[in-house]
Amino acid sequence: MSTLRFEALKETFNRKPVKIKEPARRSELFGTNVFNEASMKQYLTKEAYENVMEAIKTGKKIDRRVSDHISTGMKEWAISKGATHYTHWFQPLTGATAEKHDAFFETQADGSAIEKFGGGALVQQEPDASSFPSGGIRNTFEARGYTAWDPTSPAFLWGTTLCIPTIFVSYTGEALDYKTPLLRALQAVDQAATSVAKYFDKNVTKVTATLGWEQEYFLIDSALAATRPDLSLAGRTLLGHSPAKGQQLDDHYFGSIPSRVLAYMRDLEIECMKLGIPVKTRHNEVAPNQFELAPIFEEGNLAVDHNSLIMDIMSKIAEKHHFKVILHEKPFAGINGSGKHNNWSLATDTGTNLLAPGSTPMKNLQFLTFFINIIKAVHDNEELLRAAIASASNDHRLGANEAPPAIISAFIGSQLTEVLDELEKVTDGKLSPQEKTELKLNVVGKIPEILLDNTDRNRTSSFAFTGNKFEFRAVGSTANCANPMTVINTIMAKQLNDFKSEVDELIKGKKMKKDDAIFNVLREYIKQSKNIRFEGDGYGEAWEKEAKKRGLSNNRTTPQALKAQISEKTIALYEEMKVMNKVELEARHEIELEDYAMRIQIEGRILGDIARNHVIPTAVRYQNILIENVEGLKHIYNEDFKKHSNEQLELIEEISEHIAKINSGVKAMIEARKVANKIEDSEKRAFAYCDDVKPYFDEIRYHCDKLELLVDDELWPLTKYRELLFTR
């Protein structure tokens, strides 16, 4: 194994950057492999085109009568670009995307063949759903599930396959994917936000939730990654001693991008351009061999699809460049993990960002309305937001090396805090002329200039306002963005509905003017949501004590956090907003608990295998070398040998102690797994893996890492941190 390590290192040293041919203007490539508006105008009949556009803009169902025209046009476009197959591309609850390819090819009765793709195949398919997680919604023998076309996310070409984004539902209609609840949540927030936006602009007819994600990742040479069973099977290193130099000098962040990595980034960006993914930013991240890419923001559903797609193509492009992409939230201990910051906002069809201040007091009152309502929504649903980003992998990242803690808080900066403090003083009831003037001139009117110079930034806040959007920083790098986006849009829809009801009641019941009613309700929201706002450092016991005093939850582990998914409050929220029903929520809860237990189980097996089959034999081999050395010294020096072999004898004893601790730790871990595996209740089993199995990981790792420092480097079989992180 040690030979494999050194062969891999030698192979890595001989790598050269792959040459990339890039057009002078990327805009010429943008969307060339997407069945977008331009392609539809060229390949669809006028009626078919109008049908699709109406479905995209208003959500109206596509007329089955014209579906054959649409499918024919789509097929001809795809074949003209080299496609031979088509697939319904969907996002089941496995965390990965799924696809089943069918050829356009079809035989005829006379023995001839044609390329065929009918409207029925476009609109709906029936894949075998038995092997996808369902959380008990249906039995294995009830295998039918349906994929249905989502026209709001355009079809695209990947390789020689036409990919059609779809939802995935069970035979009985329950969602079995991430997209379906997201689409429902987006519809709910559209309706709620539009009704509130009409207070300020009667011309608003639609509000779109926007998302700009930032994808962090590690790039490790594929040969080096192949020498690590833990990286290959678990996506993270389960052992490995920290290198002498890590990220402490801050010399990697925004540094010069290594040439091999830059070639990979350029290649990836070219493919993104073709697929209509508007990637804009690339840079080195904080940790060695950690990087980030980010696009221009898009409509929420399309942005989620693009992120799911890019996670697929990142790995495929990496193979060409002899890299392995690591998306795990915490692949290396002691350095920064990877997140996927979700930058969320709301935009009207009149071109206004509802979380950006304007040039008039009325526009700033609109900004404050949506700004304060989202803070209130976060305050009232902080446990649900924590559940939305819960996973076995993200548990390692939260609260470590600049990542936000498991406590959800909102950061808005000191200047906006002062604005809310001023608004909190608003009189209960009708505002006096002087008060209105002061509000407009001293508070509301000054918001644009306040934000212009507001450079506050808090890396440890989980939910931070960053100028014209909120950034949900706690989302993990492997996560499907649909999960947190479904929660944010659902809680905002509910909050805006409640806000409008309260304002309308004051206008009708108390005969208040609209502005007075809005200010009065906002004042109460500021008071009620004050505890969620936090401007300090999110690390350490001080914040944990303060959060507890404020009544905020601190659900550090996934099994603990997931309880919020099926609370009476959550079920009532989702059912009221028509996003998910009780059956769907309970199914997802079951699936995520099972996923958690299985991931810890797999990691335990991998760690046991590496510890016993790689680390211990290597330590014994080195120990035997030391023993031979001691015996040789004894042969030469007779009774005086001890003064010449004292250090070797200490090493032999120290190695024996670590071997014994590793062996006993692995045995105890296996027994704990056996007990956990017998537990039928999925929640109890998840807690057993969390509380009884997982703690052995650190104990076993500690002794393995100590042996890494003691054993001869030339014998050590596993590629070390210094090689994984600094070989470029």
Side-chain angles (χ1 to χ4, degrees):
M1 190 74 181
S2 59
T3 306
L4 180 62
R5 172 188 157 208
F6 289 112
E7 284 178 356
L9 281 166
K10 185 178 178 181
E11 189 176 337
T12 303
F13 292 147
N14 293 326
R15 305 276 199 217
K16 301 292 181 188
V18 175
K19 290 185 179 179
I20 304 300
K21 188 178 180 182
E22 192 170 2
R25 295 178 182 269
R26 290 192 169 187
S27 57
E28 295 171 0
L29 284 179
F30 190 72
T32 51
N33 284 348
V34 180
F35 194 60
N36 50 26
E37 274 194 59
S39 300
M40 285 192 281
K41 283 179 181 176
Q42 185 178 352
Y43 283 89
L44 297 185
T45 63
K46 184 181 178 183
E47 183 186 12
Y49 170 77
E50 289 175 351
N51 229 251
V52 176
M53 294 310 297
E54 196 170 1
I56 294 169
K57 290 175 181 176
T58 68
K60 185 179 177 182
K61 286 189 176 180
I62 288 177
D63 190 341
R64 281 290 188 122
R65 190 173 48 82
V66 298
S67 61
D68 280 331
H69 295 296
I70 298 168
S71 63
T72 299
M74 196 182 285
K75 176 198 70 179
E76 291 304 315
W77 170 80
I79 289 175
S80 74
K81 300 185 78 64
T84 58
H85 288 68
Y86 65 91
T87 182
H88 275 199
W89 182 80
F90 57 103
Q91 298 164 45
L93 298 172
T94 56
T97 58
E99 52 197 67
K100 181 188 76 169
H101 297 194
D102 286 299
F104 291 124
F105 173 83
E106 195 166 300
T107 56
Q108 301 294 292
D110 62 0
S112 62
I114 60 170
E115 272 75 30
K116 187 175 180 181
F117 179 50
L122 165 65
V123 173
Q124 182 176 302
Q125 283 193 329
E126 188 184 324
D128 182 350
S130 61
S131 295
F132 290 112
S134 72
I137 284 179
R138 47 101 190 101
N139 295 314
T140 302
F141 62 83
E142 296 168 326
R144 273 190 291 179
Y146 296 101
T147 50
W149 178 34
D150 169 22
T152 63
S153 184
F156 57 90
L157 198 70
W158 177 247
T160 58
T161 304
L162 170 67
C163 300
I164 303 156
T166 61
I167 62 169
F168 182 43
V169 296
S170 71
Y171 175 67
T172 47
E174 287 89 4
L176 293 173
D177 66 344
Y178 290 109
K179 182 187 274 281
T180 304
L182 174 66
L183 290 173
R184 295 170 184 164
L186 292 170
Q187 185 177 20
V189 82
D190 171 17
Q191 293 170 353
T194 298
S195 64
V196 173
K198 283 183 179 292
Y199 281 145
F200 310 98
D201 184 356
K202 297 290 185 186
N203 296 316
V204 174
T205 59
K206 184 176 178 60
V207 172
T208 301
T210 62
L211 167 64
W213 42 263
E214 302 168 34
Q215 181 71 59
E216 295 176 340
Y217 62 99
F218 282 83
L219 278 181
I220 305 299
D221 187 276
S222 55
L224 298 182
T227 67
R228 296 284 310 219
D230 46 2
L231 264 183
S232 300
L233 298 175
R236 76 178 183 105
T237 54
L238 296 171
L239 49 82
H241 199 279
S242 296
K245 178 183 182 292
Q247 64 184 47
Q248 61 266 49
L249 296 179
D250 295 323
D251 55 346
H252 190 256
Y253 192 48
F254 280 21
S256 176
I257 299 171
S259 55
R260 277 183 65 203
V261 174
L262 187 58
Y264 164 76
M265 288 177 167
R266 289 172 60 205
D267 203 359
L268 175 63
E269 288 166 6
I270 289 168
E271 291 304 319
C272 286
M273 288 295 111
K274 293 177 185 176
L275 291 165
I277 305 173
V279 288
K280 174 95 172 164
T281 303
R282 66 189 184 202
H283 63 82
N284 288 3
E285 255 301 332
V286 176
N289 273 352
Q290 185 188 32
F291 308 95
E292 181 183 295
L293 82 160
I296 299 167
F297 72 90
E298 300 178 280
E299 182 275 326
N301 177 46
L302 183 59
V304 168
D305 278 2
H306 279 166
N307 184 251
S308 296
L309 176 58
I310 206 169
M311 287 195 290
D312 285 345
I313 66 175
M314 282 173 80
S315 295
K316 291 171 182 173
I317 299 294
E319 291 174 10
K320 198 165 108 181
H321 294 259
H322 304 290
F323 280 126
K324 181 177 177 64
V325 173
I326 307 292
L327 291 174
H328 193 286
E329 281 79 359
K330 196 73 172 177
F332 303 100
I335 60 172
N336 276 21
S338 296
K340 178 162 23 214
H341 306 159
N342 279 210
N343 295 282
W344 173 88
S345 192
L346 295 170
T348 69
D349 57 350
T350 57
T352 299
N353 179 348
L354 294 171
L355 286 176
S359 54
T360 66
M362 180 57 76
K363 288 181 179 177
N364 291 327
L365 179 55
Q366 175 179 267
F367 158 73
L368 285 170
T369 295
F370 286 90
F371 178 72
I372 293 166
N373 269 285
I374 185 60
I375 293 172
K376 175 72 160 55
V378 171
H379 174 272
D380 293 353
N381 299 277
E382 45 97 7
E383 285 198 276
L384 185 56
L385 278 167
R386 168 65 181 96
I389 47 96
S391 69
S393 50
N394 208 23
D395 281 358
H396 293 288
R397 167 180 166 261
L398 294 177
N401 299 94
E402 292 193 2
I407 303 165
I408 300 295
S409 65
F411 172 84
I412 63 171
S414 58
Q415 291 170 313
L416 278 172
T417 297
E418 289 177 16
V419 170
L420 297 197
D421 290 344
E422 286 294 316
L423 287 172
E424 194 179 336
K425 300 171 187 173
V426 171
T427 304
D428 185 5
K430 187 178 179 181
L431 303 179
S432 67
Q434 181 185 354
E435 201 168 29
K436 280 188 176 181
T437 303
E438 286 177 355
L439 276 171
K440 287 179 179 178
L441 295 180
N442 298 331
V443 181
V444 180
K446 290 186 176 180
I447 288 174
E449 58 193 79
I450 285 172
L451 289 186
L452 192 66
D453 194 39
N454 184 13
T455 55
D456 287 343
R457 187 164 172 82
N458 189 330
R459 298 182 67 86
T460 64
S461 173
S462 49
F463 203 82
F465 184 68
T466 55
N468 58 4
K469 61 191 180 300
F470 274 95
E471 181 180 21
F472 194 13
R473 297 181 54 83
V475 182
S477 51
T478 58
N480 187 310
C481 294
N483 240 2
M485 285 298 104
T486 297
V487 172
I488 290 173
N489 287 296
T490 302
I491 64 175
M492 188 58 166
K494 164 67 173 167
Q495 179 57 45
L496 290 172
N497 283 345
D498 292 348
F499 170 77
K500 189 168 190 306
S501 295
E502 291 183 50
V503 171
D504 288 349
E505 177 59 32
L506 290 178
I507 293 171
K508 293 172 186 175
K510 298 283 182 88
K511 306 300 180 187
M512 275 191 197
K513 287 186 177 180
K514 182 183 70 178
D515 284 11
D516 291 351
I518 289 172
F519 274 123
N520 273 272
V521 174
L522 291 181
R523 180 202 59 205
E524 293 306 308
Y525 286 175
I526 291 168
K527 292 177 183 177
Q528 293 164 13
S529 62
K530 213 167 185 177
N531 284 345
I532 202 71
R533 286 164 27 210
F534 180 64
E535 305 301 308
D537 189 345
Y539 289 132
E541 291 183 14
W543 168 227
E544 289 184 11
K545 287 178 181 176
E546 174 63 22
K548 188 176 181 180
K549 194 189 301 181
R550 295 183 182 199
L552 302 179
S553 65
N554 185 10
N555 297 323
R556 296 185 181 185
T557 67
T558 290
Q560 194 178 359
L562 291 179
K563 285 178 176 287
Q565 280 185 330
I566 53 166
S567 68
E568 289 183 11
K569 178 183 173 184
T570 298
I571 293 168
L573 165 71
Y574 276 113
E575 290 190 333
E576 181 185 344
M577 293 297 101
K578 297 179 180 177
V579 172
M580 280 188 277
N581 59 35
K582 185 178 180 181
V583 172
E584 290 169 317
L585 286 165
E586 288 178 343
R588 277 155 205 273
H589 183 243
E590 181 85 8
I591 288 166
E592 291 190 38
L593 286 170
E594 288 179 354
D595 180 82
Y596 178 86
M598 283 190 285
R599 289 186 187 279
I600 303 299
Q601 181 191 70
I602 290 167
E603 287 189 354
R605 288 174 172 171
I606 296 167
L607 181 58
D609 169 54
I610 295 174
R612 280 184 159 174
N613 296 321
H614 297 268
V615 174
I616 289 177
T618 303
V620 169
R621 193 177 306 126
Y622 182 58
Q623 195 177 45
N624 286 337
I625 292 172
L626 293 172
I627 290 168
E628 284 181 25
N629 178 260
V630 171
E631 287 177 342
L633 290 170
K634 187 177 181 181
H635 179 73
I636 295 170
Y637 295 106
N638 296 319
E639 291 181 7
D640 287 339
F641 84 97
K642 281 190 178 180
K643 72 177 181 181
H644 299 288
S645 60
N646 188 50
E647 301 245 348
Q648 292 92 318
L649 289 168
E650 282 184 11
L651 268 175
I652 290 167
E653 190 174 337
E654 200 173 340
I655 289 169
S656 291
E657 288 173 2
H658 287 305
I659 289 172
K661 292 286 187 181
I662 292 169
N663 206 36
S664 62
V666 171
K667 281 181 179 178
M669 179 183 67
I670 291 170
E671 289 306 310
R673 278 210 319 264
K674 287 178 181 177
V675 172
N677 291 338
K678 290 176 183 176
I679 301 172
E680 292 187 9
D681 182 90
S682 57
E683 185 175 71
K684 290 178 181 175
R685 185 166 60 250
F687 270 105
Y689 266 101
C690 180
D691 299 335
D692 303 332
V693 177
K694 191 180 168 190
Y696 287 110
F697 290 12
D698 288 340
E699 182 187 328
I700 295 165
R701 178 179 189 146
Y702 172 81
H703 294 287
C704 288
D705 290 355
K706 286 296 181 184
L707 285 176
E708 183 183 324
L709 291 178
L710 297 176
V711 171
D712 183 353
D713 182 65
E714 288 193 14
L715 295 179
W716 195 254
L718 302 168
T719 303
K720 297 187 175 184
Y721 267 31
R722 67 169 186 266
E723 296 154 350
L724 292 168
L725 293 170
F726 291 97
T727 305
R728 295 166 188 169

